[in-house]
Amino acid sequence: MNCPSCHRKIAAGDKKCSRCGAKIDMKYCPNGHVMEPNATVCKYCPSETGTQSAKLDATYLISNPNPVPKLTPLSVENEFKTKLLIEGLQQKQKDEVERLVGWLVVVDGKEPLKDFRICKTKTILGRSKNCDIILDDEYVSTKHASLRLIDGDFVITDLDSSNGTFVNDKEVAQTSLHDGDVIKMGKTSLKMKIL
């Protein structure tokens, strides 16, 4: 855009010319494009014929530093699809939260009687903040073991931990768990409770 007085190029949003000090009234087309002060045609909007810019009636030219662009509403079909997608995601999140399948209770370690709810089909246990169940124990590996629900049975798998995973005082690489089993990782023992 150019200054109407000295014709120097000015940046969009400037309220006056930095060279001559002339006040700049920004004009916008109905679609929110910045226009030259004397223009009656927006060079960014296509015309009905597609060869020229659309002509604007003077009543549509506004001096507004913060124009609100017109938004095209979603078609009914897209709006319906979006609504179904959002409802589906909300239901999935709700199902995961509500589907409590068991829990682990610390019976020996730094946090006795602390319990961890199990609501997912795969749960990672370890010291890392990226784990689903975080254990405050320096003898536990960052990702120590995984607990999976397979066909209604819990299976614990050691993830190549430094100090191993024990179930009922026996070291295991992978085994099924039953209600009341005690899992030991590092210096922390957890009792398995299955619903």
Short mmCIF file of all heavy atoms in Angstrom, two decimals, residues 1-4 9 25-28 33-41 43 61:
data_model
loop_
_atom_site.label_atom_id
_atom_site.label_comp_id
_atom_site.label_asym_id
_atom_site.label_seq_id
_atom_site.Cartn_x
_atom_site.Cartn_y
_atom_site.Cartn_z
N MET A 1 0.84 -1.17 0.00
CA MET A 1 0.00 0.00 0.00
C MET A 1 0.89 1.24 0.00
O MET A 1 1.94 1.26 0.64
CB MET A 1 -0.89 -0.04 1.25
CG MET A 1 -1.84 1.09 1.34
SD MET A 1 -2.96 0.78 2.72
CE MET A 1 -3.74 2.35 2.76
N ASN A 2 0.44 2.29 -0.70
CA ASN A 2 1.21 3.52 -0.80
C ASN A 2 0.52 4.65 -0.05
O ASN A 2 -0.70 4.68 0.07
CB ASN A 2 1.39 3.94 -2.26
CG ASN A 2 2.22 2.93 -3.02
OD1 ASN A 2 3.13 2.33 -2.46
ND2 ASN A 2 1.89 2.72 -4.27
N CYS A 3 1.33 5.60 0.44
CA CYS A 3 0.80 6.78 1.14
C CYS A 3 0.02 7.62 0.13
O CYS A 3 0.51 7.88 -0.97
CB CYS A 3 1.96 7.59 1.72
SG CYS A 3 1.44 9.17 2.42
N PRO A 4 -1.19 8.11 0.49
CA PRO A 4 -1.97 8.92 -0.46
C PRO A 4 -1.32 10.29 -0.73
O PRO A 4 -1.61 10.91 -1.75
CB PRO A 4 -3.32 9.07 0.23
CG PRO A 4 -3.12 8.76 1.66
CD PRO A 4 -1.91 7.87 1.73
N LYS A 9 5.81 3.71 -0.11
CA LYS A 9 5.27 2.39 0.29
C LYS A 9 5.20 2.34 1.82
O LYS A 9 6.16 2.68 2.50
CB LYS A 9 6.18 1.29 -0.23
CG LYS A 9 5.60 -0.07 -0.12
CD LYS A 9 5.40 -0.63 -1.51
CE LYS A 9 4.87 -2.02 -1.42
NZ LYS A 9 3.75 -2.23 -2.25
N ASP A 25 -5.97 5.92 6.55
CA ASP A 25 -7.21 5.21 6.88
C ASP A 25 -7.20 3.92 6.08
O ASP A 25 -7.25 3.95 4.85
CB ASP A 25 -8.45 6.04 6.51
CG ASP A 25 -8.66 7.18 7.48
OD1 ASP A 25 -8.29 7.01 8.65
OD2 ASP A 25 -9.19 8.23 7.06
N MET A 26 -7.10 2.82 6.79
CA MET A 26 -7.06 1.53 6.12
C MET A 26 -8.46 1.16 5.66
O MET A 26 -9.42 1.31 6.41
CB MET A 26 -6.53 0.45 7.06
CG MET A 26 -5.12 0.72 7.55
SD MET A 26 -3.93 0.64 6.25
CE MET A 26 -3.40 -1.02 6.43
N LYS A 27 -8.54 0.69 4.46
CA LYS A 27 -9.82 0.21 3.93
C LYS A 27 -9.71 -1.29 3.76
O LYS A 27 -8.67 -1.82 3.40
CB LYS A 27 -10.13 0.86 2.59
CG LYS A 27 -10.52 2.30 2.69
CD LYS A 27 -10.94 2.83 1.35
CE LYS A 27 -11.33 4.28 1.45
NZ LYS A 27 -11.68 4.83 0.13
N TYR A 28 -10.81 -1.92 4.01
CA TYR A 28 -10.88 -3.37 3.88
C TYR A 28 -12.08 -3.75 3.04
O TYR A 28 -13.14 -3.14 3.14
CB TYR A 28 -11.01 -4.03 5.26
CG TYR A 28 -9.85 -3.74 6.18
CD1 TYR A 28 -9.87 -2.65 7.02
CD2 TYR A 28 -8.73 -4.55 6.18
CE1 TYR A 28 -8.80 -2.37 7.86
CE2 TYR A 28 -7.66 -4.29 7.01
CZ TYR A 28 -7.70 -3.20 7.84
OH TYR A 28 -6.64 -2.93 8.66
N HIS A 33 -9.63 -8.11 3.11
CA HIS A 33 -8.36 -7.77 2.46
C HIS A 33 -8.09 -6.28 2.59
O HIS A 33 -9.00 -5.46 2.46
CB HIS A 33 -8.40 -8.14 0.97
CG HIS A 33 -8.64 -9.60 0.73
ND1 HIS A 33 -9.65 -10.06 -0.07
CD2 HIS A 33 -8.02 -10.70 1.22
CE1 HIS A 33 -9.63 -11.38 -0.09
NE2 HIS A 33 -8.66 -11.79 0.69
N VAL A 34 -6.81 -5.88 2.79
CA VAL A 34 -6.41 -4.47 2.85
C VAL A 34 -6.47 -3.91 1.44
O VAL A 34 -6.00 -4.52 0.48
CB VAL A 34 -4.98 -4.32 3.42
CG1 VAL A 34 -4.54 -2.87 3.41
CG2 VAL A 34 -4.92 -4.88 4.83
N MET A 35 -7.07 -2.69 1.32
CA MET A 35 -7.22 -2.05 0.00
C MET A 35 -6.56 -0.69 0.00
O MET A 35 -6.36 -0.07 1.05
CB MET A 35 -8.70 -1.89 -0.33
CG MET A 35 -9.42 -3.20 -0.51
SD MET A 35 -11.17 -2.98 -0.83
CE MET A 35 -11.16 -1.85 -2.18
N GLU A 36 -6.22 -0.19 -1.19
CA GLU A 36 -5.72 1.18 -1.35
C GLU A 36 -6.84 2.14 -0.94
O GLU A 36 -8.02 1.83 -1.12
CB GLU A 36 -5.34 1.43 -2.82
CG GLU A 36 -4.19 0.57 -3.32
CD GLU A 36 -2.85 0.98 -2.75
OE1 GLU A 36 -2.69 2.15 -2.36
OE2 GLU A 36 -1.96 0.11 -2.66
N PRO A 37 -6.48 3.32 -0.38
CA PRO A 37 -7.51 4.24 0.10
C PRO A 37 -8.52 4.67 -0.97
O PRO A 37 -9.69 4.86 -0.68
CB PRO A 37 -6.71 5.46 0.58
CG PRO A 37 -5.35 4.95 0.85
CD PRO A 37 -5.13 3.80 -0.08
N ASN A 38 -8.08 4.83 -2.23
CA ASN A 38 -8.98 5.30 -3.30
C ASN A 38 -9.64 4.15 -4.05
O ASN A 38 -10.48 4.38 -4.91
CB ASN A 38 -8.21 6.15 -4.31
CG ASN A 38 -7.47 7.30 -3.65
OD1 ASN A 38 -7.65 7.55 -2.47
ND2 ASN A 38 -6.64 8.00 -4.41
N ALA A 39 -9.27 2.92 -3.76
CA ALA A 39 -9.75 1.77 -4.55
C ALA A 39 -11.21 1.47 -4.28
O ALA A 39 -11.71 1.61 -3.18
CB ALA A 39 -8.91 0.55 -4.24
N THR A 40 -11.88 1.05 -5.35
CA THR A 40 -13.26 0.56 -5.23
C THR A 40 -13.32 -0.90 -5.65
O THR A 40 -14.39 -1.49 -5.67
CB THR A 40 -14.21 1.39 -6.11
OG1 THR A 40 -13.76 1.35 -7.45
CG2 THR A 40 -14.30 2.82 -5.61
N VAL A 41 -12.16 -1.44 -6.00
CA VAL A 41 -12.08 -2.83 -6.42
C VAL A 41 -11.00 -3.52 -5.59
O VAL A 41 -9.90 -2.99 -5.43
CB VAL A 41 -11.71 -2.93 -7.92
CG1 VAL A 41 -11.49 -4.36 -8.35
CG2 VAL A 41 -12.77 -2.28 -8.78
N LYS A 43 -8.23 -6.13 -5.23
CA LYS A 43 -7.40 -6.90 -6.18
C LYS A 43 -7.22 -8.36 -5.77
O LYS A 43 -6.72 -9.16 -6.54
CB LYS A 43 -6.04 -6.22 -6.37
CG LYS A 43 -5.20 -6.12 -5.13
CD LYS A 43 -3.93 -5.35 -5.43
CE LYS A 43 -3.07 -5.20 -4.19
NZ LYS A 43 -1.88 -4.42 -4.43
N LEU A 61 -17.01 -0.58 1.96
CA LEU A 61 -15.66 -0.20 2.35
C LEU A 61 -15.70 0.32 3.78
O LEU A 61 -16.47 1.20 4.11
CB LEU A 61 -15.13 0.88 1.41
CG LEU A 61 -14.99 0.46 -0.05
CD1 LEU A 61 -14.57 1.64 -0.89
CD2 LEU A 61 -14.01 -0.68 -0.20
#
